[in-house]
Amino acid sequence: MAVVSPLAKYKLVFLGDQSVGKTSIITRFMYDKFDTTYQATIGIDFLSKTMYLEDRTVRLQLWDTAGQERFRSLIPSYIRDSSVAVVVYDVANRQSFLNTSKWIEEVHTERGSDVIIVLVGNKTDLVDKRQVSIEEGDSRARDFGVMFIETSAKAGFNIKPLFRKIAAALPGMEALSSTKQEDMVDVNLKPPSNSSKTEQQGGGCMC
Ligand SMILES: Nc1nc2c(ncn2[C@@H]2O[C@H](COP(=O)(O)OP(=O)(O)O)[C@@H](O)[C@H]2O)c(=O)[nH]1
Ligand SMILES: [Mg+2]
């Protein structure tokens, strides 16, 4: 009997100070577009995207957040059931880099070590305004034991590699928790010839 598993879904939450480029990274990845008109994120919204990897397909749910204080109280509940936290800073804004430790600690408070964290230094196109070197970013990521990459949503630099890196780090189906295993659907591809009924358990959709 073949076991066909439904699409594995993972929740990614985007964190970081206001205007570091969280919404722009998501927009670049989803639509390959960059919008220069500044739009503060209102509340929290998510978008889904399916990624086809060499050995499997995963569905990513990208949860954008607003860094403004007035929405801070909402954030822990979004971190709580996420598989991945993407902590973004602006390489041309030192304070946003310093604040990443606060964001990473917040993720650890909610999720312990049961989460993938990626530190992202965005806006590498602002070459003359850079305040944080790639070495500093890399070294902070090592200190926290998290992944690291630099991007430019504007130039479209390293956006796909960021998501590929995340997807590659996601646990395979065999490593998923028992609750996720409940989504497994058994499909009997070759019904026994002595029986006219096809056994299908679970039903469910592949959506
Ligand atoms: N130069 C440059 N500007 C960017 C980049 N990413 C975002 N921005 C700009 O930074 C501002 C804030 O971006 P936004 O995505 O709204 O940040 P968020 O508040 O973290 O969601 C906007 O004016 C964007 O156009 C980038 O990679 N390079
Ligand atoms: Mg935003």
Side-chain angles (χ1 to χ4, degrees), residues 3 5 11 37 43 45 51 85 102 120 138-139 151 158 181 192 205:
V3 175
S5 45
K11 181 169 163 182
T37 52
D45 234 327
M51 280 191 84
K102 184 180 59 105
V120 178
D138 188 52
S139 134
T151 59
N158 260 356
Q181 293 279 355
C205 74

Side-chain angles (χ1 to χ4, degrees), residues 145-176:
V146 303
M147 298 193 293
F148 174 69
I149 193 166
E150 280 196 342
T151 59
S152 167
K154 184 173 185 177
F157 169 67
N158 260 356
I159 300 295
K160 271 191 191 150
L162 160 65
F163 288 92
R164 296 219 147 254
K165 206 177 164 86
I166 291 170
L170 289 168
M173 286 305 282
E174 72 283 353
L176 288 177

